[in-house]
Amino acid sequence: MTGTGDTGDAGDTGDNEDTGGTEDAGDSARRRDAEGAPAVPVRHRDDNVPLAHFTRRIQVVCPRCGGRALVVPRPGLPAPRYASELLFQPRRLTCAGCGAVADWEAAMRDNALVGTEPGGTEDPFFRRPLWLQTRCVGHILWAYDEEHVDALAAYVGARLRERGALSPTRAMFPRLPAWMKTSEHRAEILAGLRTLRALAERSTPADRSDAAHEHGDRPRPYRSVYFRGGPY
């Protein structure tokens, strides 16, 4: 957002951000905001989901008309076994507004495919600005699609945050920037996520957010590889 990029400290637990009161550990109550958004849990447990998981479907700015386009795995591919495989899958960009279509394939190094790196305000495949961007407390809040927005809202809105048994280095929530973890900005970030959720329902060039542009925040290349012989 600067949100789910590689700008956070992977060692930061981010637990129990809100110091105003306590929560019963067995409390499963859920809240719903006045906008009718999905219920936000009082308690959040991090299952170590990587940012790559949310690259299955990415809303971007169309390179032709400036409206909303979608980036998805190329049709006909088998479902990936692991989220990391999504970073190697051939992709297709399509725009329902103007009919633009483009394809992407991973680069080759020797006999292996070189994976892309998610993070920042561009999609990791075509490097198009994300459609879901808005200004928030002096930063850019971004997401790939509605599922990503809901996952962030569940984390930000929770008053009790718990880590899973494992903490892999590619997990998304530990890598969030500090400004998204503090309770000080909770209300503003949740409002920004509602703005992103509303943007996800719009598609014309006139609907484009004034923040939906390149911001020079591409993540450092990770250069993971996938050896040929599989479906890609």
Side-chain angles (χ1 to χ4, degrees):
M1 28 274 42
T2 5
T4 56
D6 293 354
T7 56
D9 181 356
D12 187 349
T13 63
D15 297 335
N16 301 315
E17 303 294 343
D18 198 314
T19 58
T22 60
E23 297 289 347
D24 184 338
D27 188 357
S28 60
R30 300 176 72 85
R31 302 187 303 274
R32 180 173 293 274
D33 63 39
E35 301 286 333
V40 175
V42 171
R43 179 177 180 178
H44 181 275
R45 181 174 176 80
D46 184 2
D47 293 326
N48 302 316
V49 175
L51 179 59
H53 169 83
F54 299 98
T55 63
R56 300 172 193 271
R57 180 177 180 274
I58 304 177
Q59 298 189 14
V60 301
V61 176
C62 175
R64 180 189 294 176
C65 71
R68 184 190 67 191
L70 291 179
V71 174
V72 297
R74 194 175 300 170
L77 294 174
R81 294 170 297 173
Y82 307 103
S84 59
E85 289 186 36
L86 291 164
L87 304 179
F88 302 88
Q89 281 190 325
R91 294 286 171 142
R92 179 159 294 169
L93 179 153
T94 59
C95 178
C98 71
V101 177
D103 287 324
W104 175 93
E105 290 188 356
M108 290 286 298
R109 187 173 68 202
D110 298 326
N111 292 319
L113 297 174
V114 180
T116 188
E117 179 70 8
T121 53
E122 299 173 354
D123 88 272
F125 306 100
F126 296 92
R127 295 300 178 189
R128 293 299 304 157
L130 298 179
W131 181 257
L132 301 184
Q133 297 190 61
T134 190
R135 303 182 193 281
C136 184
V137 294
H139 301 274
I140 300 297
L141 181 66
W142 57 265
Y144 288 146
D145 71 349
E146 300 94 325
E147 181 190 9
H148 194 187
V149 171
D150 290 344
L152 291 171
Y155 175 85
V156 172
R159 296 179 181 274
L160 178 63
R161 298 170 184 166
E162 298 178 345
R163 281 250 183 118
L166 302 176
S167 184
T169 57
R170 312 309 292 174
M172 179 178 74
F173 293 115
R175 301 171 73 84
L176 290 175
W179 67 270
M180 289 192 69
K181 296 181 179 182
T182 176
S183 61
E184 178 184 359
H185 301 313
R186 178 178 287 127
E188 292 91 340
I189 295 171
L190 290 174
L193 291 169
R194 288 194 293 270
T195 297
L196 296 187
R197 195 177 287 111
L199 281 170
E201 302 298 322
R202 302 169 186 162
S203 61
T204 70
D207 295 324
R208 179 178 178 177
S209 166
D210 65 355
H213 298 278
E214 298 176 2
H215 297 284
D217 57 353
R218 292 183 184 181
R220 183 177 58 189
Y222 189 61
R223 300 299 183 188
S224 55
V225 296
Y226 183 97
F227 288 95
R228 297 303 290 264
Y232 316 132

